[in-house]
Amino acid sequence: MALTRLTLTHYRNHADSRLDGARQFNLLVGENGAGKTNVLEALSLLAPGRGLRRAALTDIPGHGGDGGFAVSAELDSEVQLGTGVRADRPGRRVVQVNGADAPALRLGEWLSLGWLTPAMDRLFAEGAGARRRFLDRLVLALEPAHARNASRLEGALRERNRLLGEAVEPDPTWLDALEGQLAEAGALVAQARARLVARLSEALAVLPEAPFARPLLAYQPGGPLDPDALAAALRENRRRDRAAQRTLAGPHRDELSVIMAGKDQPAAECSTGEQKAMLIAITLAHAGLLDPDRPGLLLLDEVAAHLDPVRRAALFDRLRRGTAQVWLTGTELPPFEAIAGEAAVWRVSDGAVERLG
C-alpha cells in the first residue's frame, strides 16, 4: 500500500491543490516561495505531532478561506486519511480515517514519516530538546505506540512540575501516584529511544565512510530506564526538584551524542557540509529500518541541490533501493535528471500544481 493521491484545501497558499498518481519518486519544482515546502508540510501532518515546521494550527489556514484547512490522502484507493481544522473550531485539529473521526495518534498506525529540511542543518548546534524531538520522530516511524507514551510522559511531567512549584508542599501520596505514572511512561519512552539508537548504529556501522560522512551515535539517558528505578529517583530528588521548581532527572533530559567517525570529532564541531552529510546518512539508515508492511514517506526539502553529482547519484541510488515513497523539492529539474524518467513531477507556482510527468 502506498500514498497515491494528496489533496490540499485552503492550506497556506494552496487554495485547492490535488496531486494524483504519486510514485516512488515525487518531485516538486518551482521558484522559492511557490508552495513546494507547504506540500511537504501537509504530508508531515499525516503523522502525529506538529509537522516539519512545528507550526501552530492557527497559522496554517490560507487567506480567502473560511479559517479552516484540510489535508486528505488516499492509500491505494483503500484507505482515506484526513486532517485539518474546521472553521467553527479554530485551533483544534481534526483527524479522520475512512471518514470516521479518530485521535491524531491513530495516524501513526497507517503511515511512517521521516523528513529532512534545511532548518534541521542546525540540529547539532541547537539544544538537546531539538535532538530529543528528532529521536522521537524517528522512533514514531517504527513504533506507533511511542506517540501515546510520549504524550503520557509530557502530561505527567507537566503536572509534577506544577505541584513542585506551588507554595504549599504537595501531598506525598499524590506525588507517589503521579511519579508512578511518569516513571511508567518515561521508561517506555526512554527504552524506545535506546532501541532506536541501537538499531540505527547497527545500520550505520556497515555503511562506507563515503560519500556521506558516517556518524557514530550514542544515547545518553537523563535518568534510569527501569520504571521502578526511575520512580525511586523521582521520589529521592523531590527536595532538590522542589528547590529548582522543575524535574531535573528523567527522559526529558535525554541527549543524543553524534560523532563523525572519520575524524572522531563531535558533530557540533564539524563543518556544515559534514553535518549535512551525517544527517543524510542517519536519514537513509532510518529509512532502511521502516516496516515494509506499513507505507513509509520520506520528505526531502531542498536536499539534492546542495550535493555534488557524486553524492546526488549515491543519494538517488540508496533511495531507489529503499521501500519508502520519496518526495523531493527543488527550484529546477536538472539536479534530478537521474530520476526524472521514473518520477512523478509537478510544477508548483503560487500555490497551484501542474503535473509535468
Side-chain angles (χ1 to χ4, degrees), residues 178-330:
L178 181 61
E179 288 168 354
Q181 298 173 19
L182 193 162
E184 180 184 9
L188 291 172
V189 167
Q191 291 165 12
R193 289 171 178 168
R195 281 195 300 272
L196 182 277
V197 173
R199 293 185 64 188
L200 270 181
S201 296
E202 290 178 2
L204 288 165
V206 300
L207 296 181
E209 295 288 347
F212 299 112
R214 182 162 62 88
L216 300 175
L217 309 182
Y219 170 65
Q220 299 175 347
L225 274 64
D226 176 78
D228 292 336
L230 180 55
L234 291 169
R235 186 167 55 252
E236 292 169 3
N237 291 335
R238 285 177 187 173
R239 185 179 298 278
R240 183 189 66 166
D241 292 350
R242 183 161 167 76
Q245 296 193 351
R246 67 184 188 278
T247 304
L248 296 175
H252 60 292
R253 308 279 289 186
D254 287 355
E255 174 63 288
L256 173 66
S257 169
V258 182
I259 294 175
M260 183 176 171
K263 289 186 173 182
D264 193 26
Q265 186 173 358
E269 299 175 10
C270 293
S271 70
T272 54
E274 290 167 337
Q275 291 179 2
K276 184 80 167 184
M278 285 188 283
L279 271 175
I280 292 175
I282 293 172
T283 301
L284 293 175
H286 178 260
L289 301 177
L290 296 179
D291 183 353
D293 294 328
R294 190 158 56 110
L297 300 183
L298 185 55
L299 316 177
L300 303 178
D301 193 17
E302 298 289 352
V303 171
H306 301 289
L307 299 176
D308 59 56
V310 172
R311 287 180 172 81
R312 271 204 304 270
L315 172 65
F316 295 148
D317 182 59
R318 288 282 301 279
L319 295 173
R320 189 180 286 112
R321 289 186 279 121
T323 61
Q325 184 183 87
V326 186
W327 291 75
L328 305 104
T329 67

Side-chain angles (χ1 to χ4, degrees), residues 62-76:
H63 298 296
D66 59 4
F69 73 87
V71 178
S72 176
E74 192 172 279
L75 308 181
D76 283 347

Side-chain angles (χ1 to χ4, degrees), residues 67-91:
F69 73 87
V71 178
S72 176
E74 192 172 279
L75 308 181
D76 283 347
S77 303
E78 298 179 12
V79 177
Q80 191 84 21
L81 302 179
T83 188
V85 167
R86 296 190 177 108
D88 59 344
R89 303 171 80 177

